[in-house]
């Protein structure tokens, strides 16, 4: 088993329900951890056939976040986790979404969710 980590993916989206949040995009920072099984054949042959494509899921996450509108950090996190878990190669995944400057005296607020088969 292997763990893939996508760290500090910085994106802009509409997130929140306050009036200014509905009209101005904000930064979100996304961290993904994904456990997958790697076929022994791929490790021996250095062939990507049958390997989980982390570039593909990252592009999907980017498009979804940048094109979307979300009132709740919780919903965005849940939807990203479900998107990752759609791939049968994924055995376990954790998604953390940070919303920088969401609170006056805090660097950020984050929400995490995880799922496994």
């Amino acid at each position: 088993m292997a763990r893939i980590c996508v760290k500090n993916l910085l994106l802009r989206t509409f997130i929140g329900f306050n009036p200014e949040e509905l009209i101005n995009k904000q930064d979100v920072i996304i961290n993904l951890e994904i456990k997958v099984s790697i076929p022994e054949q791929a490790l021996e042959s250095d062939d990507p056939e049958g390997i989980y494509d982390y570039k593909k899921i990252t592009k999907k996450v980017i498009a979804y976040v940048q094109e979307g509108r979300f009132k709740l950090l919780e919903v965005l996190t849940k939807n990203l986790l479900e998107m990752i878990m759609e791939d049968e190669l994924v055995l376990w995944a954790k998604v953390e979404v940070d919303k920088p400057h969401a609170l006056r005296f805090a660097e950020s607020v984050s929400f995490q969710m995880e799922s496994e088969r």
Side-chain angles (χ1 to χ4, degrees), residues 24-74:
N24 296 309
K25 283 190 171 188
Q26 299 178 71
D27 290 339
V28 290
I29 300 168
I30 299 171
N31 286 284
L32 311 173
E33 287 185 53
I34 305 166
K35 287 186 182 178
V36 295
S37 180
I38 298 177
E40 191 64 36
Q41 178 185 356
L43 293 174
E44 291 173 4
S45 66
D46 198 20
D47 184 356
E49 185 67 34
I51 293 289
Y52 181 76
D53 189 345
Y54 58 83
K55 186 175 182 181
K56 182 178 175 183
I57 191 62
T58 301
K59 285 183 174 185
K60 194 172 177 182
V61 165
I62 291 169
Y64 178 76
V65 171
Q66 290 183 331
E67 295 168 10
R69 288 183 169 266
F70 313 94
K71 291 182 182 174
L72 299 174
L73 200 56
E74 294 85 346

